[in-house]
Every structure is written in structure tokens, then in C-alpha cells.
Amino acid sequence: MAKYLLKAEHEDNLMSEINMTPLVDVMLVLLIIFMVTLPVIQHEAKVNLPKASSQPRATNSAHIKLTVRANGAMFWEQQAIDQTALQNHLIATAQASSPPELHLYVDRTAHYEYVAQIISAAQATGLTKISLVTAPKP
């Protein structure tokens, strides 16, 4: 009988609060996972754009983003491409029923030769709407 009474008293003293330690552990693990994977998900080509005093223009039509880094590396919509792939993309874009506008994001320290080659290739394929994108002055 004494065992039964001890067991009954022990069951009455059960903790009725939520144990927060496992919840905090899970949240910290999720936070670390998100912090590690977020830079991998955002794949953008970082360029140092020249500053200009022009007003931003609203782009309602379709456009293609072509980024050129200082070392001449090119990115077609955030995907690295070389000169031959660029030519193929320009030809395919120019053959569309309504060709989109080509937006050039060129690094401030990039050689003019890279820009001239891209503009020349775009015009040779028939793309006539080419824009050079700059960052606004602070």
C-alpha cells in the first residue's frame, strides 16, 4: 500500500508547463540553416555602377538584364555566359516577335571595349533598344 501512495503522490506532481528548451533548440537550428542558405539562393552579379544625375525611368516593357563585370565576365539574367553564348542569346532575342529592351549593367571600372563589343553585337543581330543602367547619385 505504501508503494501505491508514493506512486500516486509522484503522479500528482507532474509538470504542467511546456518545456521551451527543445523549441529554442529547433528554432536556433532553423535560423542557422537559413543564414547559411540565404547567400547561396541570392545569386546576383555584384557590379560597381557609375553614378549619374538622371531620373529613374519606369520600364513597362519586357527587358533583358546583361551584367558586365570589370574583368569582362558577362551575366545574362544572373547566369554566366561567354562571347559565343552571348551571340546566340542576342540572335534568339532579336528573332522574337517583339524584341525586349537590353539593359546593360556595366561595372564602373570595366573597359569600354567590352561595352562596345556588346553594343555592336546587339545591333548586328537587330536589337535596337539598348539601355545603359547607372546608379543614382546620393
Side-chain angles (χ1 to χ4, degrees):
M1 186 89 164
K3 279 186 174 180
Y4 179 72
L5 288 176
L6 289 176
K7 186 176 182 184
E9 287 177 7
H10 180 68
E11 287 177 0
D12 288 341
N13 294 333
L14 290 177
M15 191 166 85
S16 62
E17 297 175 2
I18 297 175
N19 188 0
M20 295 297 288
T21 305
L23 178 65
V24 171
D25 289 344
V26 169
M27 295 307 288
L28 287 174
V29 169
L30 287 174
L31 178 66
I32 291 170
I33 289 172
F34 287 133
M35 286 173 51
V36 169
T37 58
L38 189 62
V40 177
I41 293 171
Q42 293 179 348
H43 180 71
E44 288 188 17
K46 304 258 187 226
V47 293
N48 187 10
L49 293 175
K51 306 274 189 248
S53 62
S54 62
Q55 294 295 325
R57 184 173 54 110
T59 56
N60 297 340
S61 63
H63 64 277
I64 302 289
K65 182 178 179 181
L66 180 63
T67 306
V68 181
R69 287 191 180 161
N71 62 357
M74 293 179 286
F75 296 87
W76 183 275
E77 296 287 342
Q78 281 83 32
Q79 293 187 358
I81 59 171
D82 59 356
Q83 192 67 29
T84 57
L86 173 66
Q87 188 69 26
N88 294 336
H89 281 300
L90 290 174
I91 290 171
T93 303
Q95 291 175 351
S97 60
S98 61
E101 187 172 333
L102 182 64
H103 288 191
L104 292 176
Y105 290 78
V106 183
D107 194 290
R108 177 184 308 184
T109 59
H111 292 290
Y112 177 72
E113 177 184 4
Y114 302 134
V115 179
Q117 288 175 353
I118 292 171
I119 292 174
S120 175
Q123 288 177 341
T125 59
L127 286 175
T128 56
K129 297 179 181 178
I130 302 171
S131 298
L132 294 172
V133 180
T134 59
K137 281 187 178 179

